[in-house]
Each structure stands twice: as C-alpha cells, then as structure tokens.
Amino acid sequence: MRILVTNDDGIMAPGLRELARQMSRLGEVTVVAPSVEKSAIGHGITIWDPIRLKKVAFPGVREAFSVDGTPADCVKLGIQELLGGSCDLVVSGINNGPNLGTDVLYSGTVSAAIEGAVLRIPSIALSLASHVTDDYTVAGKVALVLGRALVGKNNKEVLFPDTLLNVNIPPVGSYEELHGFRVTRLGVREYNNVFDKRSDPRGNVYYWLCGEVVPHGREEPDLDVVAVEDNYVSVTPLHFDLTDYRIMQRLKDGGIESLITK
Ligand code: MN
C-alpha cells in the first residue's frame, strides 16, 4: 500500500514526523509537505509561480520532499507526478491545533485531504485539538489504530474514494484517557473579539486576527466540537460537493428556472 503523508505545518513539524512514523507501519510512505508553515491557507493552489521541491532526509520513509507550495499543491504534485498516479491513501497532519466545525473551510490540513478526495483517493485529515502541546504520542497511536481499522476492512470499502475523514484528537495525556471514537458532524465555530486593532511605530493602524472561541451548546453530542470536549476522538466524514440538496427543489418550485424562457 502506498501512502502519501502531508500537512500544513510544514516539513519540520513534529506532528508530521509522528504521522509518517506511524503510517510507515501500515505501508510504503512518501512524505510531500510544504517547506514552511501554511496553516489557514485553505485550498489554495500555486498557479503564478513555479513549484520547486527538494528531496530531504526523513527517517523511516521511502522518500520525502519539501515543496515550495501549499498543502493542496503537495497532494496534487505528490499523487500525479512523484507517485505517478499510484496512491492508495492520503493522510494529512497531525495538525498542531483543532480543525473543527466551520474552521475546516480555512484549514490547509483538511484541504490536503480534500484534494486527495478530489483525485479519488481515500483521505484522512488528523488534528490534535490543542495548540499548546508538542506531544503527538496519543494522536499518532490514534492515526495508526484508525488506519489499521480502515485498511483491515479494505479501505476502499470503508472510505469511499471521494470522501475524506476529518479526525480531531482531544489533547489527553495517555491513550487510556480517551473515551473512544465518535462519528460526528461539523459544528459551528464562532469567535469573540476577532480583530485586535493596533498601531505600528509610525502611527499606521493595522489589525491582527485573533479571538476566542465562543462557548457552544452541548445539547447535540454528535457535533465534532462536543465530542472532542467529551474526550472522544471525533471522526467526521466530509465531502467536497457543497451543493445544498435541501434547497434545490425549493428553488425549482420557486420558479427560478422559468425566469428566462426560450
Ligand atoms: Mn496547521
């Protein structure tokens, strides 16, 4: 099995090392990751600049490349060029910080997995739901356990080729502290005090995006945000088809299609 491992925290990130280490127990790993951090770059791709890459030493894997590009670039280039189209699984992470609810829309980690799904390869995004720890031991074990379960049951049957799993791991001290896995749906992430307004030494105003997460309701246990708070590993199946199927018929019934008749 050929596994492409990537991330958005960059080739030097400890979460990437741990993920590559664990995935190499499942199959033949190729690491293709951004040369510098690309967090919150979303699904951006590079079309106006060359995409340069460098082969780098990386313990325990088949090959590793540091790429001057985005996470989506890494997956596209990795699958289509470096692996010659032959890839069985894309795994992205382990991100430093959560990717929950609407934040997945900004996430480079999740976008890398979306790119894998766009290319019809089963894909998983993994995030450690804390910015303050650099210990990926528990999250790495979760990645292996999940990967083994999916591969063991024939990963193509469990994971549809155009679907990705978004996995968030609560920041617990030991594997035993996890309450289990919970299949979830995306919640909403809202922030307070979103912009910090400042001025530079020349008196020019600038803004710094920050903010604190607004506490959310806990009445829906199948939301990803609630699962992680309850110390469950949250597993959300995602799809890149953003069509709102609920509203399609209402638009048709509302006469949109007859606004222009020929
Ligand atoms: Mn990141």
Side-chain angles (χ1 to χ4, degrees):
M1 189 169 74
R2 301 180 97 182
I3 307 171
L4 184 126
V5 172
T6 189
N7 75 346
D8 77 355
D9 293 337
I11 191 87
M12 299 301 287
L16 181 75
R17 306 245 150 194
E18 179 62 15
L19 185 59
R21 196 171 75 84
Q22 296 293 354
M23 290 301 104
S24 65
R25 299 165 74 177
L26 281 182
E28 190 183 80
V29 169
T30 302
V31 173
V32 187
S35 55
V36 294
E37 176 160 356
K38 295 284 180 184
S39 290
I41 198 93
H43 208 113
I45 52 170
T46 304
I47 56 170
W48 296 112
D49 293 300
I51 303 174
R52 298 185 194 279
L53 70 167
K54 220 184 276 170
K55 208 167 172 173
V56 293
F58 209 98
V61 306
R62 179 178 163 267
E63 274 183 315
F65 299 90
S66 166
V67 176
D68 290 340
T70 67
D73 287 333
C74 289
V75 172
K76 222 182 247 301
L77 186 75
I79 291 173
Q80 294 180 333
E81 289 292 325
L82 306 173
L83 289 172
S86 152
C87 179
D88 303 297
L89 183 66
V90 172
V91 190
S92 176
I94 300 165
N95 189 59
N96 179 235
N99 278 306
L100 295 163
T102 35
D103 281 353
V104 302
L105 297 169
Y106 309 106
S107 166
T109 306
V110 177
S111 292
I114 291 175
E115 187 60 35
V118 168
L119 297 172
R120 300 293 187 266
I121 312 287
S123 299
I124 307 173
L126 293 129
S127 303
L128 177 59
S130 166
H131 291 286
V132 294
T133 174
D134 253 357
D135 185 352
Y136 293 89
T137 318
V138 174
K141 192 164 175 194
V142 165
L144 181 63
V145 165
L146 195 60
R148 272 215 178 112
L150 297 170
V151 172
K153 288 180 192 164
N154 180 353
N155 65 336
K156 285 190 175 151
E157 270 173 31
V158 178
L159 267 183
F160 294 98
D162 56 356
T163 289
L164 59 131
L165 296 185
N166 184 41
V167 180
N168 279 271
I169 300 122
V172 292
S174 72
Y175 194 77
E176 289 64 40
E177 286 172 61
L178 291 172
H179 287 175
F181 285 84
R182 191 184 279 170
V183 177
T184 55
R185 60 196 176 88
L186 292 181
V188 174
R189 284 286 256 194
E190 288 172 332
Y191 292 86
N192 271 331
N193 309 318
V194 175
F195 285 102
D196 199 0
K197 187 178 180 182
R198 304 174 179 185
S199 51
D200 73 13
R202 296 193 173 86
N204 303 305
V205 167
Y206 67 97
Y207 293 88
W208 202 297
L209 182 58
C210 51
E212 296 133 28
V213 175
V214 177
H216 51 80
R218 298 197 33 87
E219 49 287 337
E220 296 172 86
D222 67 336
L223 292 182
D224 56 358
V225 286
V226 176
V228 167
E229 271 186 11
D230 290 347
N231 278 353
Y232 281 86
V233 177
S234 166
V235 181
T236 313
L238 296 181
H239 197 276
F240 51 80
D241 180 352
L242 300 178
T243 311
D244 191 333
Y245 291 98
R246 298 166 305 175
I247 303 300
M248 270 182 80
Q249 193 57 47
R250 208 192 288 175
L251 279 178
K252 284 173 188 268
D253 294 346
I256 289 285
E257 288 180 338
S258 58
L259 287 177
I260 297 174
T261 47
K262 287 195 175 164

